[in-house]
Amino acid sequence: MTTKVDPAESQRQGISPPTERVVAVVELLGANPDGQFTLAEICRRLQISRATGHVILTTLAAHDWVTRDPVTAAYSWGPAIASLANPTDTHRCRDDLQALAAATGTQVHLSRRQGQTLVIDQTAGNCSTGPRIGPGLRTPLVAPFGREYVAWAAPDVQRAWLEAIGQPSPALRRRMTSILREIRTRGFAVERLTTEYLRVYTALRALTGDGEVDAITAQLARAFADLTVIDVLPDELGAKASHNVAIISAPITDATGAVTMSVTAAVFTTVDSARIRMLGQQVSRTAHNIEARIAGYPPAAP
């Protein structure tokens, strides 16, 4: 691996010194896919200036070739470049999405994790009661959003996700602990439809246009978490209970068991408890079928 960029060595015909610096950064992080490096460490190891290192890493982060930890500000190997080595043809899942949209009468979409954001890969169907959602739309992976991505993660990962918005209140911490446990049990997350949700969600999508989760994004997410009831617990799903539901999402895991994508049904209406359970099961079944399709196994029978 290249651990030093020597400008004199790069003066050969056809060689671009700025490009070699980018390659050196990628090689450093790629050789340590589970490690994290601060900007100072990267610049010291590669003997490049801090200004140059900052420009390179900011650009790579914008394209999800590297990820920046919002707590430590350290950089690590990003999902976008990792996917180049193991590409996933999600267009093979088009039939699954269309079948789910037809069965649920909703718009559905397939999202992919890219660093600290979730990016919609493709959609199917329509939702007459909610906003039209298109491919490429980004939302931040910051608490309380993206619960289906962290519900199966290690406790320290869940804690970092929750505390990235600041120290949560004891009540919010208890609620999120119960919610993540319930998502692991039932297999899907439920987002309540409220005025606050619509306003905050719209603002968060705009703030995450560059792929970064900054302090403003974190504070807005925290305000939302403190002001609304997150998800739905079993004792709230009474036989006669009805709930205003925005979306229902289920995780898709890769070969290592990590959640890398999700399937979502955009409901945006009032539904009863039985309907929530049915939609959750349909979304979860589609997520499992996509997992099997990507892995090369036949999907389960409906």
Side-chain angles (χ1 to χ4, degrees):
M1 185 196 73
T2 302
T3 58
K4 178 181 178 180
V5 178
D6 184 353
E9 189 70 18
S10 302
Q11 298 305 314
R12 301 182 301 274
Q13 184 177 4
I15 298 297
S16 165
T19 304
E20 285 208 327
R21 296 185 188 103
V22 175
V23 171
V25 171
V26 171
E27 287 183 339
L28 173 62
L29 298 179
N32 301 273
D34 297 322
Q36 289 190 326
F37 300 87
T38 65
L39 174 59
E41 290 173 330
I42 293 172
C43 293
R44 184 174 63 253
R45 287 189 180 215
L46 302 180
Q47 296 185 13
I48 59 179
S49 71
R50 186 179 182 86
T52 297
H54 182 266
V55 170
I56 292 173
L57 288 163
T58 299
T59 303
L60 292 175
H63 293 279
D64 298 308
W65 281 41
V66 306
T67 59
R68 182 177 182 272
D69 191 305
V71 178
T72 65
Y75 293 89
S76 58
W77 187 246
I81 193 169
S83 68
L84 295 177
N86 298 285
T88 299
D89 184 7
T90 55
H91 289 286
R92 291 181 295 168
C93 310
R94 184 70 182 173
D95 290 345
D96 295 294
L97 296 180
Q98 291 177 334
L100 178 62
T104 60
T106 68
Q107 184 185 26
V108 302
H109 56 261
L110 180 71
S111 297
R112 181 190 302 278
R113 178 174 182 175
Q114 292 186 357
Q116 293 302 309
T117 61
L118 307 177
V119 184
I120 294 181
D121 187 270
Q122 57 182 295
T123 67
N126 294 285
C127 177
S128 60
T129 55
R132 177 68 185 174
I133 300 172
L137 188 64
R138 288 178 175 268
T139 56
L141 180 56
V142 57
F145 301 103
R147 297 183 294 281
E148 69 275 17
Y149 283 83
V150 299
W152 284 266
D156 60 324
V157 174
Q158 294 180 355
R159 185 166 54 252
W161 168 78
L162 181 57
E163 294 178 357
I165 61 174
Q167 282 298 324
S169 66
L172 178 58
R173 190 182 292 275
R174 287 193 299 270
R175 177 78 184 184
M176 292 307 304
T177 298
S178 298
I179 286 298
L180 295 179
R181 183 186 307 117
E182 176 59 20
I183 291 173
R184 289 195 300 273
T185 299
R186 71 189 180 201
F188 58 89
V190 179
E191 200 69 72
R192 293 173 182 256
L193 176 60
T194 63
T195 301
E196 293 82 6
Y197 170 80
L198 291 174
R199 291 175 177 172
V200 170
Y201 192 64
T202 300
L204 287 175
R205 290 186 303 189
L207 287 169
T208 319
D210 61 356
E212 289 289 333
V213 177
D214 57 18
I216 297 176
T217 305
Q219 289 303 313
L220 188 58
R222 171 161 189 165
F224 173 77
D226 288 337
L227 290 172
T228 58
V229 178
I230 305 301
D231 216 296
V232 183
L233 290 170
D235 58 355
E236 297 163 355
L237 282 175
K240 299 181 180 179
S242 294
H243 300 276
N244 295 326
V245 174
I247 59 175
I248 296 177
S249 303
I252 298 172
T253 60
D254 62 13
T256 69
V259 179
T260 57
M261 296 188 292
S262 61
V263 175
T264 297
V267 183
F268 287 97
T269 191
T270 301
V271 292
D272 60 23
S273 297
R275 178 67 170 160
I276 291 176
R277 294 189 183 95
M278 179 179 294
L279 285 168
Q281 291 169 0
Q282 290 172 308
V283 173
S284 297
R285 188 179 306 116
T286 298
H288 291 316
N289 283 346
I290 290 175
E291 284 179 4
R293 195 178 300 282
I294 290 174
Y297 299 106

